[in-house]
Amino acid sequence: MGKPRRDRRSGNWCVVHVTNRVIEGLPFVARRSVKEVILGILARAQSKHPMNICGFLFMGNHYHMILAGKAHHLSPFMNFIDGEIAKSFQRLTGRYKGKFWKDEFKEQKLATPLDVVRMMAYMYGNPTKAGLVRHPKDYPGLSSFGLGLRNLLSVK
């Protein structure tokens, strides 16, 4: 059975959950420097590509993001983010020579507002489910939970 066909027609608006996992290690630790690097990459991605970041959460070895925008902008936006994160961590750590990501980013279309709410609950509940914190607001890693995201990143 083949992969589901991605609908990339230029006029189609989409809301998607995207995720990706690193090949090894825990590069997304809860350090200020790591947060600043990733936030900088997210801000640059939004300045270059017309996609809205609705929410994000970076666990130790993977991330989740909910994005909205025209479908044909998703791949360039994600390729920029994944490429810049990989290059940054290769430079900062001296590790990850060669492959950084386990695979390409995965996307899941969120067709209804209820789908979006359920995915937000799943995404922000990740640290709680993993036993790292009792409440998402207590997660020390990089997360948009409780942030005024429109004030943090320039949403188009």
Side-chain angles (χ1 to χ4, degrees), residues 83-135:
E84 291 299 306
I85 287 174
K87 287 187 281 189
S88 294
F89 281 91
Q90 287 166 345
R91 279 192 307 266
L92 291 171
T93 65
R95 294 181 56 206
Y96 306 106
K97 301 296 182 204
K99 196 170 179 182
F100 181 80
W101 299 106
K102 185 174 182 181
D103 229 335
E104 290 181 10
F105 70 91
K106 306 284 188 275
E107 72 179 87
Q108 176 183 1
K109 185 176 179 182
L110 304 175
T112 68
L114 185 57
D115 291 340
V116 174
V117 170
R118 285 180 176 151
M119 189 54 70
M120 288 268 191
Y122 168 78
M123 179 177 75
Y124 292 131
N126 244 252
T128 305
K129 186 177 177 185
L132 301 174
V133 293
R134 292 176 56 114
H135 190 277

Side-chain angles (χ1 to χ4, degrees), residues 32-148:
R32 185 177 180 182
S33 60
V34 169
K35 292 177 186 181
E36 288 174 358
V37 166
I38 294 171
L39 287 173
I41 291 168
L42 296 180
R44 283 196 322 273
Q46 283 199 296
S47 72
K48 291 177 168 287
H49 304 280
M51 290 296 293
N52 295 326
I53 299 173
C54 304
F56 58 83
L57 178 101
F58 283 78
M59 296 290 284
N61 65 351
H62 69 284
Y63 67 78
H64 298 270
M65 279 193 278
I66 296 177
L67 306 171
K70 292 205 174 176
H72 71 286
H73 292 299
L74 180 62
S75 285
F77 182 79
M78 290 308 305
N79 290 338
F80 178 84
I81 288 174
D82 283 352
E84 291 299 306
I85 287 174
K87 287 187 281 189
S88 294
F89 281 91
Q90 287 166 345
R91 279 192 307 266
L92 291 171
T93 65
R95 294 181 56 206
Y96 306 106
K97 301 296 182 204
K99 196 170 179 182
F100 181 80
W101 299 106
K102 185 174 182 181
D103 229 335
E104 290 181 10
F105 70 91
K106 306 284 188 275
E107 72 179 87
Q108 176 183 1
K109 185 176 179 182
L110 304 175
T112 68
L114 185 57
D115 291 340
V116 174
V117 170
R118 285 180 176 151
M119 189 54 70
M120 288 268 191
Y122 168 78
M123 179 177 75
Y124 292 131
N126 244 252
T128 305
K129 186 177 177 185
L132 301 174
V133 293
R134 292 176 56 114
H135 190 277
K137 70 177 172 40
D138 300 326
Y139 181 59
L142 184 57
S143 170
S144 61
F145 186 87
L147 295 180

